[in-house]
């Protein structure tokens, strides 16, 4: 055991931990749930701390040795060597101060160890005076929120791009596959399966473009705002310098927030971003459900598509194959839609100079991004890539559809066409048979007028 001190007194810790007194107090005081910040968030925090040390050194505020030791400790965290040293619950103080201090204590203790001093001695590096120099939890925590979110969105966009490419390939594969369209879940005029899938692609392209448009705001960082946005205890060039360092370390073009007061008190950029994630979830839900319905059967459903048989679908019904990838994706979408409420309410809690729902905002945003990223990749690999059209069933549906009658309206009028469709349905006839029996037109006239492939686009 070892003893450390903070402003409230001494705390006992085990020798095997790198954290200090404030982290230990948080472990005792916030034993709430099992949610922990993702390791991506912790690594992004370490990167920001490294950038801060480099910026303080460049501005003449930190000696060489201090900056080197902080950077070395941060590099070890970024390499995953201390992932078990960040145990705090998401459900803590709303500014994220305890997690900020967790980073400060681990970095200080590890830096002191590298310099030959004992853990907890803080002989050379101090968590507040050195690792937290020029920072407040109120600006460094939201900075990390934006850094890790930008990184996660860039990854999400890559996965989304792959999904769009896969759907576009399906569009090309199915461009000549005629099928019956549906509106209100009822038969409608013909389209091609390729046209149907082109709508899926367009929906996802819309979401991709919206996410891209959100990135510039996400890439504005709060550092330099200090405690309330005024920049107290920081160098005049601090904000610009540290953001330049973060940009260099990440390879992403971050900029200082234009209004530091807003950057601390409000999180509109992340609320807006999650709204766009919600739009993506809405599109994915529709796409997955359509594919699930078109795959229904194989004998007693629509049976228009065949999805890959990845695993047995039932513990009691042999040979059953279920649309499990669609089910997983739609469950993720439902979770993201629920998260939208959480982020929206949390974003509204900017009382005076500080929003104090920061931990739940970033936890929820990252959960939504991570779930969407994984679910899209799984759906693309295990469903869309091996999906096939049941061409025979699709053709049979087209030939039976009464909505081909729409092509008759210009020739015999709406009322007569409706009469033919109702007669065909009542008598269980084909549309052609009904028109001939009602003597509405000759066989040749019907065949010339009703060509499903001439119903796929405007024509004179």
């Amino acid at each position: 055991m070892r003893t450390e001190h903070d402003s409230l007194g001494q705390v006992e810790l085990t020798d095997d931990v790198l954290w200090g007194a404030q982290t230990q107090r948080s472990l005792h005081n916030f034993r709430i749930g099992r949610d922990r910040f993702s390791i991506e968030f912790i690594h992004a925090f370490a990167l920001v701390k490294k950038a801060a040390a480099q910026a303080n050194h460049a501005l003449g505020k930190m000696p060489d040795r201090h900056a080197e030791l902080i950077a070395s400790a941060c590099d070890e965290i970024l390499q995953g060597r201390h992932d078990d040293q960040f145990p705090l619950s998401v459900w803590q103080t709303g500014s994220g101060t305890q997690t900020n201090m967790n980073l400060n204590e681990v970095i200080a203790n590890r830096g002191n160890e590298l310099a030959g001093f004992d853990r907890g001695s803080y002989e050379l590096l101090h968590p507040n005076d050195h690792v937290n120099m020029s920072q407040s939890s109120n600006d460094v925590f939201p900075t990390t929120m934006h850094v890790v979110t930008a990184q996660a969105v860039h990854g999400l966009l890559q996965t989304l791009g792959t999904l769009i490419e896969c759907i576009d390939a399906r569009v090309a594969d199915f461009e000549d596959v005629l099928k019956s369209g549906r509106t209100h879940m009822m038969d409608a005029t013909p389209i091609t399966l390729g046209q149907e899938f082109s709508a899926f692609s367009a929906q996802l392209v819309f979401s991709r473009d919206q996410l891209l448009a959100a990135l510039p705001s996400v890439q504005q960082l709060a550092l330099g705002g200090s405690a309330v946005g005024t920049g107290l205890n920081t160098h005049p060039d601090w904000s610009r310098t540290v953001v330049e360092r973060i940009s260099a370390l990440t390879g992403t073009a971050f900029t200082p927030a234009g209004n530091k007061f807003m950057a601390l008190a409000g999180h509109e950029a992340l609320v807006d971003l999650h709204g766009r994630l919600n739009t993506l979830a809405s599109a994915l839900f529709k796409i997955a459900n359509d594919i699930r319905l078109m795959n229904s059967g194989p004998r007693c459903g629509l049976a228009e598509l065949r999805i890959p048989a990845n695993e047995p679908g039932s513990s009691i019904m042999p040979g059953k194959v279920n649309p499990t990838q669609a089910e997983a994706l739609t469950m993720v979408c439902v979770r993201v839609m629920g998260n939208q409420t959480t982020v929206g309410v949390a974003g509204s809690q900017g009382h005076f100079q500080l929003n104090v729902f920061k931990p739940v905002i970033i936890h929820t945003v990252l959960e939504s991004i991570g779930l969407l990223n994984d679910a899209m990749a799984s759906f693309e690999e295990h469903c869309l890539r091996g999906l096939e059209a049941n061409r025979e069933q699709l053709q049979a549906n087209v030939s039976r559809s009464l909505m081909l009658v729409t092509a008759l309206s210009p020739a015999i009028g709406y009322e007569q066409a409706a009469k033919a469709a109702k007669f065909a349905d009542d008598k269980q006839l084909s549309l052609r048979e009904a028109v001939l029996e009602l003597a509405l037109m000759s066989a040749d006239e019907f065949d010339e007028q009703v060509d499903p492939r001439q119903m796929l686009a405007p024509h004179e």
Side-chain angles (χ1 to χ4, degrees), residues 82-199:
H82 305 298
D83 289 352
D84 59 345
Q85 297 298 310
F86 305 96
L88 298 188
S89 173
V90 167
W91 314 106
Q92 54 169 278
T93 180
S95 61
T97 297
Q98 286 135 14
T99 289
N100 181 35
M101 285 308 304
N102 185 193
L103 268 292
N104 291 336
E105 290 173 342
V106 170
I107 294 166
N109 269 322
R110 183 55 186 151
N112 282 317
E113 275 190 331
L114 292 173
F117 298 104
D118 292 334
R119 292 184 183 184
S121 66
Y122 303 126
E123 291 284 343
L124 184 62
L125 291 179
H126 189 276
N128 299 80
D129 294 337
H130 303 119
V131 185
N132 201 60
M133 181 183 288
S134 304
Q135 306 153 58
S136 163
S137 297
N138 297 351
D139 68 350
V140 73
F141 194 92
T143 291
T144 303
M145 290 167 66
H146 279 227
V147 169
V148 71
T149 298
Q151 292 173 324
V153 170
H154 283 294
L156 180 72
L157 286 168
Q158 292 181 358
T159 302
L160 179 54
T162 300
L163 181 62
I164 292 169
E165 289 175 1
C166 183
I167 291 178
D168 286 343
R170 307 278 79 184
V171 172
D173 292 339
F174 301 149
E175 64 178 353
D176 65 335
V177 180
L178 198 64
K179 64 164 291 182
S180 177
R182 293 184 181 87
T183 60
H184 304 273
M185 294 293 288
M186 305 298 285
D187 300 344
T189 57
I191 61 172
T192 68
L193 190 58
Q195 289 173 325
E196 189 163 28
F197 271 68
S198 74

Side-chain angles (χ1 to χ4, degrees), residues 233-304:
N233 290 349
T234 68
H235 188 283
D237 293 329
W238 161 250
S239 181
R240 174 186 58 80
T241 304
V242 70
V243 171
E244 287 176 354
R245 297 288 173 164
I246 293 171
S247 298
L249 290 172
T250 60
T252 298
F254 292 99
T255 58
N259 187 300
K260 302 295 195 301
F261 304 101
M262 173 186 174
L264 274 59
H267 286 300
E268 280 74 15
L270 295 184
V271 173
D272 172 68
L273 172 71
H274 199 280
R276 297 167 195 246
L277 295 174
N278 192 65
T279 299
L280 173 59
S282 177
L284 290 168
F285 196 98
K286 195 268 186 196
I287 292 166
N289 263 342
D290 279 3
I291 289 174
R292 169 165 38 191
L293 289 169
M294 284 189 278
N295 172 76
S296 61
R299 295 290 178 87
C300 302
L302 297 181
E304 294 182 342

Side-chain angles (χ1 to χ4, degrees), residues 17 38 53 86 159 195 284 286 322 325 361 364 375 387 422:
V17 300
S38 70
F86 305 96
T159 302
Q195 289 173 325
L284 290 168
K286 195 268 186 196
N322 293 331
Q325 289 295 318
I361 290 174
T364 307
L387 183 147
K422 185 176 186 304

Side-chain angles (χ1 to χ4, degrees), residues 63-95:
D64 294 353
R65 185 62 173 148
H66 289 67
E68 290 167 359
L69 289 170
I70 291 173
S72 295
C74 290
D75 285 340
E76 290 186 358
I77 294 171
L78 289 165
Q79 292 161 10
R81 293 174 58 181
H82 305 298
D83 289 352
D84 59 345
Q85 297 298 310
F86 305 96
L88 298 188
S89 173
V90 167
W91 314 106
Q92 54 169 278
T93 180
S95 61

